[in-house]
Amino acid sequence: MLWIEWVKKKWSEGEWEEGTHNLSTDNFCVTSRRPVGTQEELLVFIWSEGVLEFIDATDMLQPFTEYEYHVRAQNSKGSVDSLWSSTQTVEAPPWGMKAPWAQAISAYSVLLNWTDPLSPNGAISHYQVIYQERQSDPTLNTPAVTALTVLVRVT
């Protein structure tokens, strides 16, 4: 399964930290991206001219994950860092759903248990439980039939 996540960040010259802003910028450098709550920083872009924006479309981004970015303006006299700006990537389809466990608890009832997907990639709103009847007689050549669908809402 393939999905593309991207983040577009745009900065203006007024979004720098308090302090001296009289740098004649030779370049801007998006110095860092990091998952929120971590100190791990990654250089993702070096800007030299044009519109002050950057689209991060790397395959390292994960769905429904919050990231922080900051920009460093540099010239021959030094540099100044922006404050961190955060954003969250959008949801993607969940994947990695394991088979449920089914156990007959009487002649007329079955207990069904399952686990969350390995990667929910967002907030799971509901589970759909689908029942199919299988013939136990091998001499009958009838396909499985969907007899019941139950929607289980997550609260």
Side-chain angles (χ1 to χ4, degrees), residues 8 13 17 24 26 36-37 49 51 71 94 124 128 136 146:
K8 179 178 179 179
E13 292 185 33
E17 290 180 347
S24 169
D26 295 324
V36 169
E49 63 181 42
V51 179
V71 175
I124 302 294
Q128 187 174 8
S136 57
T146 301

Side-chain angles (χ1 to χ4, degrees), residues 2-7 55-65 67 88-93 121:
L2 174 69
W3 62 86
I4 296 174
E5 293 295 324
W6 60 274
V7 174
I55 295 178
D56 188 353
T58 177
D59 60 358
M60 299 302 292
L61 294 176
Q62 297 296 312
F64 207 62
T65 302
Y67 293 96
Q88 183 173 358
T89 53
V90 298
E91 290 181 310
N121 295 331

Side-chain angles (χ1 to χ4, degrees), residues 8 12 16 41 58 77-78 81 84 92 102 120 148:
K8 179 178 179 179
S12 67
W16 304 112
E41 295 182 16
T58 177
K77 300 295 184 185
D81 287 347
W84 286 95
L148 174 69

Side-chain angles (χ1 to χ4, degrees), residues 9-151:
K9 296 303 290 183
K10 189 170 186 176
W11 290 270
S12 67
E13 292 185 33
E15 292 180 9
W16 304 112
E17 290 180 347
E18 302 253 347
T20 306
H21 300 278
N22 60 354
L23 294 175
S24 169
T25 56
D26 295 324
N27 65 49
F28 280 73
C29 175
V30 177
T31 56
S32 300
R33 174 188 68 226
R34 67 182 183 191
V36 169
T38 69
Q39 296 304 311
E40 170 192 345
E41 295 182 16
L42 178 65
L43 172 66
V44 292
F45 182 68
I46 297 176
W47 177 94
S48 60
E49 63 181 42
V51 179
L52 301 181
E53 67 181 17
F54 164 67
I55 295 178
D56 188 353
T58 177
D59 60 358
M60 299 302 292
L61 294 176
Q62 297 296 312
F64 207 62
T65 302
E66 195 171 2
Y67 293 96
E68 293 179 308
Y69 293 81
H70 81 141
V71 175
R72 176 173 292 140
Q74 295 177 210
N75 70 10
S76 61
K77 300 295 184 185
S79 64
V80 61
D81 287 347
S82 73
L83 296 173
W84 286 95
S85 175
S86 64
T87 190
Q88 183 173 358
T89 53
V90 298
E91 290 181 310
W95 67 269
M97 191 76 180
K98 294 182 178 182
W101 299 281
Q103 177 185 3
I105 56 176
S106 76
Y108 301 101
S109 61
V110 172
L111 173 64
L112 189 67
N113 291 314
W114 61 89
T115 59
D116 289 329
L118 295 175
S119 294
N121 295 331
I124 302 294
S125 60
H126 64 275
Y127 291 93
Q128 187 174 8
V129 178
I130 302 168
Y131 160 79
Q132 290 184 336
E133 184 177 341
R134 277 198 200 151
Q135 295 293 335
S136 57
D137 186 347
T139 62
L140 295 175
N141 190 13
T142 58
V145 176
T146 301
L148 174 69
T149 299
V150 179
L151 214 54

